[in-house]
Amino acid sequence: MQVNIAPEFQNDEDIGTVKSIINKCVHCGFCTATCPTYQVLGDELDGPRGRIYLMKEMVEGAPVTAKTQSHLDRCLTCRNCESTCPSGVRYGRLVDIGRRYVDERVSRPLFQRIQHWLIRETLSRRALFGGLFGLARFVRPVMPTALKKKIQVVQPAGVWPVNASRQPNARQMLLHLGCVQPALMPNVDAATARVFDKLGIHLVTTSEAGCCGAIRQHLNDHSGAHAQIKANIDAWWPYVAQGVDTIVINASGCGVMIKDYAELLANDPVYAEKAKRIASMAKDLSEILPAYAPALEALVTAKHADGVPERVTYHPPCTLQHGQKIRGAVEGLLSQLGVTVSLCSESHLCCGSAGTYSMLQPAMSQTLLDRKLGNLLKTSPDEIVSGNVGCINHLQSGTETPVRHWVELIDRMI
Ligand code: SF4
Ligand code: SF4
């Protein structure tokens, strides 16, 4: 589509990106068929093609209203439309910038502003979130059932391994800890460390690195997100200087963000090159562990077979399958290790978690959760596994069937 940029947008640093993305869209509408919000609401403006059209009109100078804002707010940023698009339209980047443009022109009601502030300032700070979550767990027994479901029982982390760190020539990799996962699911990081330790790899962590920046970026606090990105780069850089070449990520929502650091800081005179290097080092677990499949196979022991469920169903997070375009790796690895793993129907659709979406759009989030769980439970799994803290927590809030990270399953098997 041709787009004629209005004068008020001409000097914006991202307008070139917006123009080139909109130019690629041929308005064919293939993407609407796989858009969850379009499937539920049936409104063209709640599908990717309609939203792209709204953003095109905005940058051409059409009035921007609260209606435009709500159509963009209802988007999950699941990027399913990117997987379907035959023209390679980078919708996720476009809507990220488009939301900033809208928020700069349409003031939100006071309640929404307070809600966004609270989410931004609590979820993205690891220590503060950990304290608040601990408090919430303490009062959980007297909470209403609906709220109780969101505050789930925490699986204890178990021991943090030290064998690899004692080997003088052990390979080192950085482990990204993030913000909410250490409190919600401490066993995911510990299980990751144990699996890598058995492979002779020492995972290094630094408390100086925190939230990847995704929460602030998606809530239109782009400068706050950039500050967090720079803090992470500064925290990791001494290890990069020592020769560490991989950042292990076990939450695909963080992975997709860290891989975007290069683009987000491309115009920063101090950090652009470092951001490029960090982005190239970021690897999801599913990009690393398949290479170690033979070693893991050798480690799978019969004595742990009791802890391995007979039927496992894998839910691929959108941030992995659509955001990072990684498909098939987890199922392939688990199968190779002898796990009977399947996907449910509509496995390409979002579960409704989508970062902060479940808090900001609870009705749509619940509709998508019910649909997803309906499909998952039809496969009669003993256990559901996934690869992102948000999806795992959201899915577990609606079912008694255990929902865990797939690396926890491998940890139990070895
Ligand atoms: S599938 Fe791609 S090209 Fe077609 S309307 Fe959607 S975004 Fe545009
Ligand atoms: S990101 Fe997801 S919800 Fe948003 S338009 Fe694309 S497919 Fe629809």
Side-chain angles (χ1 to χ4, degrees), residues 1 21-32 34 44 47-50 52 81-91 94:
M1 281 192 287
I21 296 174
I22 296 178
N23 283 162
K24 278 197 154 191
C25 176
V26 295
H27 222 59
C28 62
F30 287 160
C31 52
T32 52
T34 53
E44 171 75 13
R49 183 172 62 175
I52 290 170
C81 45
E82 285 187 19
S83 293
T84 322
C85 176
S87 305
V89 172
R90 292 168 63 224
Y91 173 87
L94 177 65

Side-chain angles (χ1 to χ4, degrees), residues 11 29 46 103 112 126 183 200 212 227 350 365 402:
N11 295 324
D46 282 313
D103 274 19
Q112 276 186 24
R126 183 163 56 227
C212 64
C350 179
S365 171

Side-chain angles (χ1 to χ4, degrees), residues 34-37 47-48 51 75-81 91:
T34 53
C35 171
T37 55
R51 291 180 177 123
C75 168
L76 297 138
T77 328
C78 66
R79 295 170 63 177
N80 202 334
C81 45
Y91 173 87

Side-chain angles (χ1 to χ4, degrees), residues 91 116 122 162 220 227 258 260 269 282 289 365 372 382 403:
Y91 173 87
H116 284 207
T122 55
V162 291
N220 290 319
I258 296 171
D260 271 350
L289 289 180
S365 171
K372 176 61 69 181
D382 297 312
V403 188

Side-chain angles (χ1 to χ4, degrees), residues 2-228:
Q2 281 307 308
V3 50
N4 303 309
I5 304 297
E8 63 171 304
F9 288 95
Q10 293 282 2
N11 295 324
D12 185 89
E13 62 171 356
D14 291 322
I15 198 64
T17 307
V18 167
K19 193 170 180 214
S20 69
I21 296 174
I22 296 178
N23 283 162
K24 278 197 154 191
C25 176
V26 295
H27 222 59
C28 62
F30 287 160
C31 52
T32 52
T34 53
C35 171
T37 55
Y38 179 78
Q39 287 196 7
V40 172
L41 299 168
D43 181 343
E44 171 75 13
L45 296 180
D46 282 313
R49 183 172 62 175
R51 291 180 177 123
I52 290 170
Y53 203 74
L54 285 174
M55 289 184 268
K56 173 186 183 291
E57 283 186 319
M58 172 171 64
V59 298
E60 287 185 330
V64 191
T65 65
K67 196 169 170 296
T68 317
Q69 194 172 47
S70 61
H71 286 301
L72 296 194
D73 281 354
R74 276 199 286 273
C75 168
L76 297 138
T77 328
C78 66
R79 295 170 63 177
N80 202 334
C81 45
E82 285 187 19
S83 293
T84 322
C85 176
S87 305
V89 172
R90 292 168 63 224
Y91 173 87
R93 184 75 185 118
L94 177 65
V95 79
D96 197 31
I97 303 167
R99 283 181 174 138
R100 171 169 71 79
Y101 288 168
V102 174
D103 274 19
E104 284 167 359
R105 286 158 182 83
V106 181
S107 175
R108 290 183 179 275
L110 181 63
F111 170 73
Q112 276 186 24
R113 277 184 277 147
I114 294 173
Q115 194 185 27
H116 284 207
W117 183 86
L118 278 173
I119 293 173
R120 253 189 348 247
E121 300 303 327
T122 55
L123 260 57
S124 70
R125 296 172 195 270
R126 183 163 56 227
L128 179 62
F129 178 79
L132 291 173
F133 183 68
L135 200 63
R137 281 176 60 206
F138 185 67
V139 296
R140 186 178 184 270
V142 293
M143 280 180 175
T145 312
L147 206 53
K148 230 185 237 177
K149 283 184 186 170
K150 306 279 176 200
I151 317 283
Q152 286 145 26
V153 178
V154 173
Q155 301 291 330
V159 289
W160 193 275
V162 291
N163 292 336
S165 63
R166 290 190 182 130
Q167 295 163 18
N169 296 322
R171 189 171 175 197
Q172 286 199 354
M173 295 182 184
L174 276 158
L175 174 66
H176 167 64
L177 296 177
C179 50
V180 300
Q181 185 167 277
L184 288 180
M185 293 168 200
N187 192 43
V188 174
D189 285 332
T192 305
R194 286 191 291 267
V195 170
F196 276 70
D197 189 73
K198 290 231 168 109
L199 296 171
I201 301 167
H202 172 45
L203 291 188
V204 187
T205 61
T206 164
S207 58
E208 304 297 314
C211 176
C212 64
I215 291 171
R216 288 178 184 273
Q217 183 73 14
H218 295 154
L219 290 172
N220 290 319
D221 175 14
H222 290 194
S223 61
H226 287 193
Q228 286 183 320

Side-chain angles (χ1 to χ4, degrees), residues 220-250:
N220 290 319
D221 175 14
H222 290 194
S223 61
H226 287 193
Q228 286 183 320
I229 296 171
K230 289 176 186 176
N232 286 344
I233 294 173
D234 287 343
W236 287 328
W237 202 252
Y239 298 94
V240 179
Q242 286 169 25
V244 174
D245 62 2
T246 304
I247 301 171
V248 178
I249 300 165
N250 55 21

